[in-house]
Amino acid sequence: MKHFQIPGYADVSLQNRQYFDFYKKQLGSLPNLYAMLAHSDTGLDAYLRFHDHKQSLTIPEKEIIGLIVGTVNQSVYCLETHVMIARLNGFTDEEIREVKGGSARFNERYHALAQLVFNIMSTKGHPASTQLEVFFEAGYTNESLVDVMLCIGDNMITNLLSCTMQVPSDFSPGQV
């Protein structure tokens, strides 16, 4: 199987170097997944513009989606990242395990979201009408549903890339 190297600063386009500089200043280094996107002269910029768009979902809601999509796709890299961010946003390890299984009984609204996302992923985009009803009854809107789909798509991109290119972890063993 082909081995994919993480490109370094000198290996990427001038446009991508701005992201290496930004993330080095903000985080100490560019996450490995973003570096892999920099194999394309425009891929990293295109992805980050999509990823950073304004939307109606909260950070915890986006992490619920990320945890479920990463679990279904068995994306180790993405799961490590979403577990870390979920913890930073107040989720306990027990809640994270529950979300990865497609539920969130600790919060009614999150539970409706988790069940819908798990159902969408399990049925390849053909959710049960009852799941949609529960989602809307929990206070979500059509805008929310569109944003859920965009967030699933965002996570699918990174899951597929991380699995296909075997992106190595950004964390030390046992850190997450």
Side-chain angles (χ1 to χ4, degrees):
M1 176 153 196
K2 179 171 175 58
H3 177 74
F4 297 92
Q5 295 289 329
I6 297 172
Y9 190 82
D11 303 319
V12 302
S13 68
L14 291 175
Q15 182 176 15
N16 284 332
R17 287 181 185 179
Q18 71 180 330
Y19 293 110
F20 275 70
D21 293 337
F22 174 80
Y23 283 97
K24 182 172 183 162
K25 185 177 178 182
Q26 296 297 313
L27 302 174
S29 66
L30 183 71
N32 290 336
L33 181 76
Y34 289 1
M36 287 298 211
L37 283 161
H39 275 292
S40 165
D41 288 347
T42 58
L44 178 57
D45 183 67
Y47 171 74
L48 288 173
R49 287 177 187 275
F50 175 64
H51 177 72
D52 293 337
H53 75 278
K54 186 178 178 180
Q55 60 178 284
S56 64
L57 301 174
T58 65
I59 291 172
E61 289 168 331
K62 290 190 278 189
E63 291 316 308
I64 287 168
I65 295 167
L67 288 165
I68 293 169
V69 174
T71 299
V72 170
N73 290 325
Q74 300 175 358
S75 175
V76 174
Y77 179 94
C78 293
L79 278 171
E80 285 181 344
T81 302
H82 289 294
V83 165
M84 187 253 326
I85 296 170
R87 284 179 182 152
L88 290 173
N89 282 279
F91 286 89
T92 66
D93 287 344
E94 183 177 317
E95 290 169 340
I96 290 168
R97 275 190 297 281
E98 186 177 344
V99 168
K100 287 166 64 177
S103 64
R105 288 182 284 280
F106 56 90
N107 179 298
E108 184 179 333
R109 186 170 165 91
Y110 291 170
H111 187 59
L113 173 64
Q115 288 189 306
L116 177 65
V117 172
F118 189 80
N119 192 249
I120 288 168
M121 292 299 297
S122 300
T123 63
K124 296 181 168 94
H126 300 280
S129 60
T130 54
Q131 292 297 323
L132 284 168
E133 289 171 21
V134 170
F135 177 77
F136 289 119
E137 286 170 6
Y140 289 104
T141 63
N142 289 339
E143 177 185 22
S144 307
L145 182 60
V146 170
D147 288 342
V148 165
M149 297 304 168
L150 290 171
C151 192
I152 289 171
D154 177 356
N155 281 277
M156 289 296 295
I157 291 167
T158 56
N159 283 201
L160 293 172
L161 184 86
S162 69
C163 291
T164 301
M165 297 183 87
Q166 300 175 348
V167 178
S169 177
D170 292 312
F171 306 103
S172 303
Q175 187 177 356
V176 177

